[in-house]
Amino acid sequence: MGIMAPKIESAEALKAIAKEASKAWYLKPEIWIGIVANVIAIGALVVAVIALQK
């Protein structure tokens, strides 16, 4: 371990954060979760509008 261990760990953490932040938007799972949630919400809205019209 030694005195350099925290610096090495923080450097590795910064590399991991930079790698994650530089990913293209379509490779990030939280983007796809948001898109799927919005599609489901729009579907529910369409069903509600159809149900109210009848």
Side-chain angles (χ1 to χ4, degrees), residues 12-39:
E12 290 171 358
L14 283 174
K15 287 179 186 176
I17 291 169
K19 181 181 174 188
E20 189 67 27
S22 65
K23 274 187 180 178
W25 67 270
Y26 53 85
L27 296 177
K28 295 182 180 180
E30 53 272 5
I31 298 293
W32 292 109
I33 292 170
I35 291 172
V36 169
N38 283 323
V39 169

PDB file of all heavy atoms in Angstrom, residues 12-39:
ATOM      1  N   GLU A  12      -7.206   6.144 -10.713  1.00  0.00           N
ATOM      2  CA  GLU A  12      -8.010   5.112 -11.374  1.00  0.00           C
ATOM      3  C   GLU A  12      -9.480   5.500 -11.382  1.00  0.00           C
ATOM      4  O   GLU A  12     -10.190   5.265 -12.370  1.00  0.00           O
ATOM      5  CB  GLU A  12      -7.808   3.775 -10.669  1.00  0.00           C
ATOM      6  CG  GLU A  12      -6.424   3.186 -10.877  1.00  0.00           C
ATOM      7  CD  GLU A  12      -6.161   1.968 -10.000  1.00  0.00           C
ATOM      8  OE1 GLU A  12      -7.039   1.600  -9.198  1.00  0.00           O
ATOM      9  OE2 GLU A  12      -5.075   1.398 -10.138  1.00  0.00           O
ATOM     10  N   ALA A  13      -9.946   6.099 -10.284  1.00  0.00           N
ATOM     11  CA  ALA A  13     -11.341   6.539 -10.222  1.00  0.00           C
ATOM     12  C   ALA A  13     -11.600   7.635 -11.254  1.00  0.00           C
ATOM     13  O   ALA A  13     -12.639   7.626 -11.924  1.00  0.00           O
ATOM     14  CB  ALA A  13     -11.671   7.035  -8.823  1.00  0.00           C
ATOM     15  N   LEU A  14     -10.672   8.571 -11.393  1.00  0.00           N
ATOM     16  CA  LEU A  14     -10.837   9.631 -12.389  1.00  0.00           C
ATOM     17  C   LEU A  14     -10.862   9.064 -13.806  1.00  0.00           C
ATOM     18  O   LEU A  14     -11.634   9.516 -14.648  1.00  0.00           O
ATOM     19  CB  LEU A  14      -9.714  10.664 -12.255  1.00  0.00           C
ATOM     20  CG  LEU A  14      -9.854  11.642 -11.096  1.00  0.00           C
ATOM     21  CD1 LEU A  14      -8.611  12.513 -10.999  1.00  0.00           C
ATOM     22  CD2 LEU A  14     -11.091  12.498 -11.259  1.00  0.00           C
ATOM     23  N   LYS A  15     -10.025   8.069 -14.060  1.00  0.00           N
ATOM     24  CA  LYS A  15     -10.037   7.431 -15.386  1.00  0.00           C
ATOM     25  C   LYS A  15     -11.369   6.751 -15.647  1.00  0.00           C
ATOM     26  O   LYS A  15     -11.916   6.837 -16.748  1.00  0.00           O
ATOM     27  CB  LYS A  15      -8.899   6.415 -15.493  1.00  0.00           C
ATOM     28  CG  LYS A  15      -7.534   7.042 -15.628  1.00  0.00           C
ATOM     29  CD  LYS A  15      -6.452   5.981 -15.706  1.00  0.00           C
ATOM     30  CE  LYS A  15      -5.071   6.587 -15.685  1.00  0.00           C
ATOM     31  NZ  LYS A  15      -4.014   5.572 -15.655  1.00  0.00           N
ATOM     32  N   ALA A  16     -11.904   6.074 -14.630  1.00  0.00           N
ATOM     33  CA  ALA A  16     -13.188   5.391 -14.787  1.00  0.00           C
ATOM     34  C   ALA A  16     -14.313   6.400 -15.015  1.00  0.00           C
ATOM     35  O   ALA A  16     -15.191   6.192 -15.862  1.00  0.00           O
ATOM     36  CB  ALA A  16     -13.481   4.544 -13.558  1.00  0.00           C
ATOM     37  N   ILE A  17     -14.284   7.507 -14.281  1.00  0.00           N
ATOM     38  CA  ILE A  17     -15.305   8.540 -14.444  1.00  0.00           C
ATOM     39  C   ILE A  17     -15.196   9.170 -15.833  1.00  0.00           C
ATOM     40  O   ILE A  17     -16.204   9.393 -16.509  1.00  0.00           O
ATOM     41  CB  ILE A  17     -15.164   9.606 -13.338  1.00  0.00           C
ATOM     42  CG1 ILE A  17     -15.548   9.008 -11.990  1.00  0.00           C
ATOM     43  CG2 ILE A  17     -16.012  10.836 -13.648  1.00  0.00           C
ATOM     44  CD1 ILE A  17     -15.203   9.886 -10.808  1.00  0.00           C
ATOM     45  N   ALA A  18     -13.985   9.445 -16.271  1.00  0.00           N
ATOM     46  CA  ALA A  18     -13.789  10.045 -17.595  1.00  0.00           C
ATOM     47  C   ALA A  18     -14.252   9.104 -18.697  1.00  0.00           C
ATOM     48  O   ALA A  18     -14.867   9.536 -19.675  1.00  0.00           O
ATOM     49  CB  ALA A  18     -12.322  10.399 -17.785  1.00  0.00           C
ATOM     50  N   LYS A  19     -13.981   7.825 -18.523  1.00  0.00           N
ATOM     51  CA  LYS A  19     -14.415   6.839 -19.524  1.00  0.00           C
ATOM     52  C   LYS A  19     -15.930   6.788 -19.604  1.00  0.00           C
ATOM     53  O   LYS A  19     -16.507   6.749 -20.698  1.00  0.00           O
ATOM     54  CB  LYS A  19     -13.862   5.460 -19.163  1.00  0.00           C
ATOM     55  CG  LYS A  19     -14.236   4.380 -20.138  1.00  0.00           C
ATOM     56  CD  LYS A  19     -13.663   3.042 -19.707  1.00  0.00           C
ATOM     57  CE  LYS A  19     -14.168   1.935 -20.617  1.00  0.00           C
ATOM     58  NZ  LYS A  19     -13.783   0.617 -20.131  1.00  0.00           N
ATOM     59  N   GLU A  20     -16.592   6.808 -18.456  1.00  0.00           N
ATOM     60  CA  GLU A  20     -18.050   6.767 -18.420  1.00  0.00           C
ATOM     61  C   GLU A  20     -18.648   8.057 -18.975  1.00  0.00           C
ATOM     62  O   GLU A  20     -19.629   8.023 -19.696  1.00  0.00           O
ATOM     63  CB  GLU A  20     -18.532   6.541 -16.982  1.00  0.00           C
ATOM     64  CG  GLU A  20     -20.000   6.266 -16.858  1.00  0.00           C
ATOM     65  CD  GLU A  20     -20.445   4.961 -17.460  1.00  0.00           C
ATOM     66  OE1 GLU A  20     -19.638   4.013 -17.533  1.00  0.00           O
ATOM     67  OE2 GLU A  20     -21.612   4.890 -17.886  1.00  0.00           O
ATOM     68  N   ALA A  21     -18.051   9.175 -18.660  1.00  0.00           N
ATOM     69  CA  ALA A  21     -18.580  10.466 -19.110  1.00  0.00           C
ATOM     70  C   ALA A  21     -18.373  10.676 -20.610  1.00  0.00           C
ATOM     71  O   ALA A  21     -19.147  11.393 -21.247  1.00  0.00           O
ATOM     72  CB  ALA A  21     -17.918  11.589 -18.332  1.00  0.00           C
ATOM     73  N   SER A  22     -17.373  10.054 -21.180  1.00  0.00           N
ATOM     74  CA  SER A  22     -17.100  10.268 -22.599  1.00  0.00           C
ATOM     75  C   SER A  22     -17.824   9.268 -23.495  1.00  0.00           C
ATOM     76  O   SER A  22     -17.661   9.326 -24.707  1.00  0.00           O
ATOM     77  CB  SER A  22     -15.595  10.184 -22.856  1.00  0.00           C
ATOM     78  OG  SER A  22     -15.126   8.875 -22.584  1.00  0.00           O
ATOM     79  N   LYS A  23     -18.624   8.400 -22.907  1.00  0.00           N
ATOM     80  CA  LYS A  23     -19.408   7.467 -23.727  1.00  0.00           C
ATOM     81  C   LYS A  23     -20.422   8.232 -24.567  1.00  0.00           C
ATOM     82  O   LYS A  23     -20.929   9.270 -24.159  1.00  0.00           O
ATOM     83  CB  LYS A  23     -20.193   6.500 -22.827  1.00  0.00           C
ATOM     84  CG  LYS A  23     -19.466   5.284 -22.382  1.00  0.00           C
ATOM     85  CD  LYS A  23     -20.445   4.380 -21.656  1.00  0.00           C
ATOM     86  CE  LYS A  23     -19.800   3.121 -21.182  1.00  0.00           C
ATOM     87  NZ  LYS A  23     -20.779   2.294 -20.448  1.00  0.00           N
ATOM     88  N   ALA A  24     -20.713   7.694 -25.720  1.00  0.00           N
ATOM     89  CA  ALA A  24     -21.750   8.279 -26.550  1.00  0.00           C
ATOM     90  C   ALA A  24     -23.093   8.123 -25.838  1.00  0.00           C
ATOM     91  O   ALA A  24     -23.305   7.180 -25.082  1.00  0.00           O
ATOM     92  CB  ALA A  24     -21.783   7.596 -27.907  1.00  0.00           C
ATOM     93  N   TRP A  25     -24.024   9.026 -26.101  1.00  0.00           N
ATOM     94  CA  TRP A  25     -25.296   9.017 -25.380  1.00  0.00           C
ATOM     95  C   TRP A  25     -26.054   7.715 -25.572  1.00  0.00           C
ATOM     96  O   TRP A  25     -26.737   7.250 -24.666  1.00  0.00           O
ATOM     97  CB  TRP A  25     -26.159  10.203 -25.805  1.00  0.00           C
ATOM     98  CG  TRP A  25     -26.626  10.134 -27.229  1.00  0.00           C
ATOM     99  CD1 TRP A  25     -25.993  10.639 -28.314  1.00  0.00           C
ATOM    100  CD2 TRP A  25     -27.814   9.507 -27.703  1.00  0.00           C
ATOM    101  NE1 TRP A  25     -26.705  10.367 -29.449  1.00  0.00           N
ATOM    102  CE2 TRP A  25     -27.835   9.679 -29.107  1.00  0.00           C
ATOM    103  CE3 TRP A  25     -28.863   8.826 -27.099  1.00  0.00           C
ATOM    104  CZ2 TRP A  25     -28.866   9.177 -29.892  1.00  0.00           C
ATOM    105  CZ3 TRP A  25     -29.890   8.336 -27.886  1.00  0.00           C
ATOM    106  CH2 TRP A  25     -29.887   8.516 -29.267  1.00  0.00           C
ATOM    107  N   TYR A  26     -25.948   7.113 -26.740  1.00  0.00           N
ATOM    108  CA  TYR A  26     -26.729   5.904 -27.005  1.00  0.00           C
ATOM    109  C   TYR A  26     -26.141   4.659 -26.347  1.00  0.00           C
ATOM    110  O   TYR A  26     -26.745   3.602 -26.383  1.00  0.00           O
ATOM    111  CB  TYR A  26     -26.895   5.684 -28.515  1.00  0.00           C
ATOM    112  CG  TYR A  26     -25.598   5.688 -29.283  1.00  0.00           C
ATOM    113  CD1 TYR A  26     -24.838   4.547 -29.392  1.00  0.00           C
ATOM    114  CD2 TYR A  26     -25.134   6.850 -29.891  1.00  0.00           C
ATOM    115  CE1 TYR A  26     -23.640   4.542 -30.094  1.00  0.00           C
ATOM    116  CE2 TYR A  26     -23.947   6.868 -30.595  1.00  0.00           C
ATOM    117  CZ  TYR A  26     -23.214   5.704 -30.688  1.00  0.00           C
ATOM    118  OH  TYR A  26     -22.027   5.706 -31.368  1.00  0.00           O
ATOM    119  N   LEU A  27     -24.979   4.781 -25.720  1.00  0.00           N
ATOM    120  CA  LEU A  27     -24.400   3.645 -25.003  1.00  0.00           C
ATOM    121  C   LEU A  27     -24.701   3.697 -23.506  1.00  0.00           C
ATOM    122  O   LEU A  27     -24.353   2.769 -22.790  1.00  0.00           O
ATOM    123  CB  LEU A  27     -22.878   3.616 -25.213  1.00  0.00           C
ATOM    124  CG  LEU A  27     -22.416   3.382 -26.646  1.00  0.00           C
ATOM    125  CD1 LEU A  27     -20.901   3.458 -26.718  1.00  0.00           C
ATOM    126  CD2 LEU A  27     -22.902   2.044 -27.149  1.00  0.00           C
ATOM    127  N   LYS A  28     -25.344   4.762 -23.051  1.00  0.00           N
ATOM    128  CA  LYS A  28     -25.629   4.916 -21.625  1.00  0.00           C
ATOM    129  C   LYS A  28     -26.989   4.298 -21.303  1.00  0.00           C
ATOM    130  O   LYS A  28     -27.999   4.651 -21.920  1.00  0.00           O
ATOM    131  CB  LYS A  28     -25.612   6.390 -21.240  1.00  0.00           C
ATOM    132  CG  LYS A  28     -24.240   7.019 -21.388  1.00  0.00           C
ATOM    133  CD  LYS A  28     -24.242   8.455 -20.953  1.00  0.00           C
ATOM    134  CE  LYS A  28     -22.859   9.051 -21.115  1.00  0.00           C
ATOM    135  NZ  LYS A  28     -22.809  10.447 -20.715  1.00  0.00           N
ATOM    136  N   PRO A  29     -27.036   3.390 -20.341  1.00  0.00           N
ATOM    137  CA  PRO A  29     -28.311   2.720 -20.037  1.00  0.00           C
ATOM    138  C   PRO A  29     -29.371   3.669 -19.474  1.00  0.00           C
ATOM    139  O   PRO A  29     -30.564   3.454 -19.721  1.00  0.00           O
ATOM    140  CB  PRO A  29     -27.929   1.655 -19.004  1.00  0.00           C
ATOM    141  CG  PRO A  29     -26.614   2.082 -18.449  1.00  0.00           C
ATOM    142  CD  PRO A  29     -25.944   2.875 -19.526  1.00  0.00           C
ATOM    143  N   GLU A  30     -28.979   4.712 -18.750  1.00  0.00           N
ATOM    144  CA  GLU A  30     -30.001   5.589 -18.184  1.00  0.00           C
ATOM    145  C   GLU A  30     -30.767   6.343 -19.267  1.00  0.00           C
ATOM    146  O   GLU A  30     -31.937   6.690 -19.078  1.00  0.00           O
ATOM    147  CB  GLU A  30     -29.408   6.547 -17.150  1.00  0.00           C
ATOM    148  CG  GLU A  30     -28.222   7.358 -17.598  1.00  0.00           C
ATOM    149  CD  GLU A  30     -26.876   6.696 -17.407  1.00  0.00           C
ATOM    150  OE1 GLU A  30     -26.798   5.532 -17.005  1.00  0.00           O
ATOM    151  OE2 GLU A  30     -25.887   7.371 -17.688  1.00  0.00           O
ATOM    152  N   ILE A  31     -30.144   6.570 -20.413  1.00  0.00           N
ATOM    153  CA  ILE A  31     -30.848   7.211 -21.529  1.00  0.00           C
ATOM    154  C   ILE A  31     -31.951   6.290 -22.036  1.00  0.00           C
ATOM    155  O   ILE A  31     -33.086   6.719 -22.256  1.00  0.00           O
ATOM    156  CB  ILE A  31     -29.865   7.546 -22.673  1.00  0.00           C
ATOM    157  CG1 ILE A  31     -28.802   8.536 -22.198  1.00  0.00           C
ATOM    158  CG2 ILE A  31     -30.605   8.066 -23.892  1.00  0.00           C
ATOM    159  CD1 ILE A  31     -29.318   9.902 -21.862  1.00  0.00           C
ATOM    160  N   TRP A  32     -31.623   5.010 -22.227  1.00  0.00           N
ATOM    161  CA  TRP A  32     -32.608   4.057 -22.737  1.00  0.00           C
ATOM    162  C   TRP A  32     -33.728   3.810 -21.735  1.00  0.00           C
ATOM    163  O   TRP A  32     -34.886   3.634 -22.121  1.00  0.00           O
ATOM    164  CB  TRP A  32     -31.932   2.753 -23.146  1.00  0.00           C
ATOM    165  CG  TRP A  32     -31.069   2.961 -24.345  1.00  0.00           C
ATOM    166  CD1 TRP A  32     -29.721   2.955 -24.402  1.00  0.00           C
ATOM    167  CD2 TRP A  32     -31.523   3.270 -25.679  1.00  0.00           C
ATOM    168  NE1 TRP A  32     -29.292   3.241 -25.682  1.00  0.00           N
ATOM    169  CE2 TRP A  32     -30.376   3.430 -26.480  1.00  0.00           C
ATOM    170  CE3 TRP A  32     -32.776   3.429 -26.261  1.00  0.00           C
ATOM    171  CZ2 TRP A  32     -30.471   3.735 -27.832  1.00  0.00           C
ATOM    172  CZ3 TRP A  32     -32.862   3.732 -27.611  1.00  0.00           C
ATOM    173  CH2 TRP A  32     -31.711   3.884 -28.377  1.00  0.00           C
ATOM    174  N   ILE A  33     -33.402   3.822 -20.442  1.00  0.00           N
ATOM    175  CA  ILE A  33     -34.445   3.680 -19.420  1.00  0.00           C
ATOM    176  C   ILE A  33     -35.420   4.853 -19.514  1.00  0.00           C
ATOM    177  O   ILE A  33     -36.641   4.668 -19.445  1.00  0.00           O
ATOM    178  CB  ILE A  33     -33.812   3.583 -18.011  1.00  0.00           C
ATOM    179  CG1 ILE A  33     -33.054   2.263 -17.882  1.00  0.00           C
ATOM    180  CG2 ILE A  33     -34.865   3.731 -16.924  1.00  0.00           C
ATOM    181  CD1 ILE A  33     -32.190   2.166 -16.636  1.00  0.00           C
ATOM    182  N   GLY A  34     -34.896   6.039 -19.696  1.00  0.00           N
ATOM    183  CA  GLY A  34     -35.747   7.221 -19.842  1.00  0.00           C
ATOM    184  C   GLY A  34     -36.611   7.154 -21.093  1.00  0.00           C
ATOM    185  O   GLY A  34     -37.793   7.506 -21.058  1.00  0.00           O
ATOM    186  N   ILE A  35     -36.048   6.701 -22.191  1.00  0.00           N
ATOM    187  CA  ILE A  35     -36.809   6.596 -23.439  1.00  0.00           C
ATOM    188  C   ILE A  35     -37.940   5.586 -23.285  1.00  0.00           C
ATOM    189  O   ILE A  35     -39.084   5.848 -23.671  1.00  0.00           O
ATOM    190  CB  ILE A  35     -35.877   6.229 -24.608  1.00  0.00           C
ATOM    191  CG1 ILE A  35     -34.960   7.411 -24.921  1.00  0.00           C
ATOM    192  CG2 ILE A  35     -36.677   5.818 -25.844  1.00  0.00           C
ATOM    193  CD1 ILE A  35     -33.865   7.104 -25.917  1.00  0.00           C
ATOM    194  N   VAL A  36     -37.644   4.428 -22.712  1.00  0.00           N
ATOM    195  CA  VAL A  36     -38.669   3.395 -22.517  1.00  0.00           C
ATOM    196  C   VAL A  36     -39.764   3.903 -21.585  1.00  0.00           C
ATOM    197  O   VAL A  36     -40.959   3.693 -21.828  1.00  0.00           O
ATOM    198  CB  VAL A  36     -38.030   2.088 -21.984  1.00  0.00           C
ATOM    199  CG1 VAL A  36     -39.085   1.108 -21.536  1.00  0.00           C
ATOM    200  CG2 VAL A  36     -37.150   1.461 -23.053  1.00  0.00           C
ATOM    201  N   ALA A  37     -39.376   4.589 -20.519  1.00  0.00           N
ATOM    202  CA  ALA A  37     -40.372   5.136 -19.585  1.00  0.00           C
ATOM    203  C   ALA A  37     -41.275   6.154 -20.278  1.00  0.00           C
ATOM    204  O   ALA A  37     -42.494   6.171 -20.043  1.00  0.00           O
ATOM    205  CB  ALA A  37     -39.666   5.767 -18.393  1.00  0.00           C
ATOM    206  N   ASN A  38     -40.699   6.975 -21.129  1.00  0.00           N
ATOM    207  CA  ASN A  38     -41.515   7.960 -21.854  1.00  0.00           C
ATOM    208  C   ASN A  38     -42.459   7.301 -22.848  1.00  0.00           C
ATOM    209  O   ASN A  38     -43.604   7.735 -23.009  1.00  0.00           O
ATOM    210  CB  ASN A  38     -40.618   8.979 -22.562  1.00  0.00           C
ATOM    211  CG  ASN A  38     -40.064   9.998 -21.604  1.00  0.00           C
ATOM    212  OD1 ASN A  38     -40.746  10.412 -20.686  1.00  0.00           O
ATOM    213  ND2 ASN A  38     -38.825  10.392 -21.823  1.00  0.00           N
ATOM    214  N   VAL A  39     -42.009   6.266 -23.518  1.00  0.00           N
ATOM    215  CA  VAL A  39     -42.888   5.544 -24.452  1.00  0.00           C
ATOM    216  C   VAL A  39     -44.050   4.907 -23.698  1.00  0.00           C
ATOM    217  O   VAL A  39     -45.200   4.963 -24.140  1.00  0.00           O
ATOM    218  CB  VAL A  39     -42.077   4.493 -25.248  1.00  0.00           C
ATOM    219  CG1 VAL A  39     -42.995   3.553 -26.009  1.00  0.00           C
ATOM    220  CG2 VAL A  39     -41.107   5.185 -26.191  1.00  0.00           C
TER     221      VAL A  39
END
